[in-house]
Amino acid sequence: MIDIRSDTVTKPTEAMRKAMAEAEVGDDVYGDDPTVNELERLAAEMVGKEAALFVPSGTFGNQLALFTWCKRGSEVILGEDCHIIQHEAGAASVIAGVQTRPIPAPRGIMNLDDIEKRIRSIDIHYPSTSLICMENAHSAGTVVPLEHMKAVYNLAQKHRIPLHLDGARLFNAAAALQVPAKELAAQTDSVMFCLSKGLCAPVGSMLAGPAEFIARARRNRKIMGGGMRQAGILAAAGIVALRDMTGRLEDDHRRARRLAQGLGAIPGIQVATDRLDINMVFFSIPALATPEKAARFMELLKEKGILANPPEQGNFRFVTHYWIGDAEVDTIIAACKRAMDQIQ
């Protein structure tokens, strides 16, 4: 099957499987796993932070950041369409016990005035503002310019509020903006990035930031049940991901653009060309307005060996990744054209 549901579906490469099989391990909760220690050192170095921590997932890493930065009952400012709000099951209220204050963020960009207006003054009636969160690359398929990140970070520092970056696809953003990942991370106090989105590692994400923050996060990881013992088997794949896979993401971006061009040439398919910064192609099909017609479209793709997610709020999303080459792109375009011909 050609799986374009997400870049989380990537299976580990042969190099990763070999590294996992040969990994030296120890009990990471005791700090004894040399492979985890090496992954954390490498991750911190690549994003220019003092320390890093290996965690099971991106949602875990984001929620661990909130749990570590924020006092219970405080408030977090973030974009209304960001992953923490939309796709983390309301965890901020459950784990960190914080109130989220979402604001409009078209293309992932929060207006500076909107942010500043929502920073709470001292009043017994108000929750305190404990954190500002950004997302780059954004899960809507766009990237936030470096200059805007700098402006938001300067605003956060002015008000002495820490800034956390959901950088699940940090290296995609870096590739799209043609800057080192550490230059984006420099505009943050903490950053989470995934090893299993597009980088092919089977499990895991990293949370990076100041050494004192990571020390507190390590204890909070234990509270959240994230001590993974002999995790070097997983960390070994993460090391390969960071060393070998971060530099090839532009290939996925190029194929996404090629896929978008092919889909856009099919009558009835409307591609969102303003959301093509990374490896995601968003499009709508007005003729498939009913759930039944959309389901039929998905069935026809599956019959041709293509796995895709149904539309969300009227938009389809196809995601390219390591295992989607030029031949697979051609197959997807042809299958979509045949499906459209059969439905209309």
Side-chain angles (χ1 to χ4, degrees), residues 173-221:
L177 294 169
Q178 298 184 330
V179 299
K182 65 175 55 179
E183 198 166 338
L184 300 178
Q187 316 310 319
T188 72
D189 293 292
S190 64
V191 56
M192 183 283 297
F193 56 93
C194 293
L195 305 171
S196 57
K197 284 188 175 75
L199 301 183
C200 286
V203 176
S205 294
M206 306 302 303
L207 178 64
E212 185 273 336
F213 166 79
I214 293 298
R216 289 189 288 121
R218 189 176 295 276
R219 183 177 187 277
N220 287 343
R221 183 185 69 172

Side-chain angles (χ1 to χ4, degrees), residues 30 58 63 72 90 112 116 145 150 152 163 268 298 312 321:
Y30 287 113
Q63 296 304 324
R72 297 187 71 81
L112 296 177
E116 192 151 34
K150 288 179 179 178
V152 175
L163 190 148
M298 307 312 298
E312 183 175 334
H321 50 75

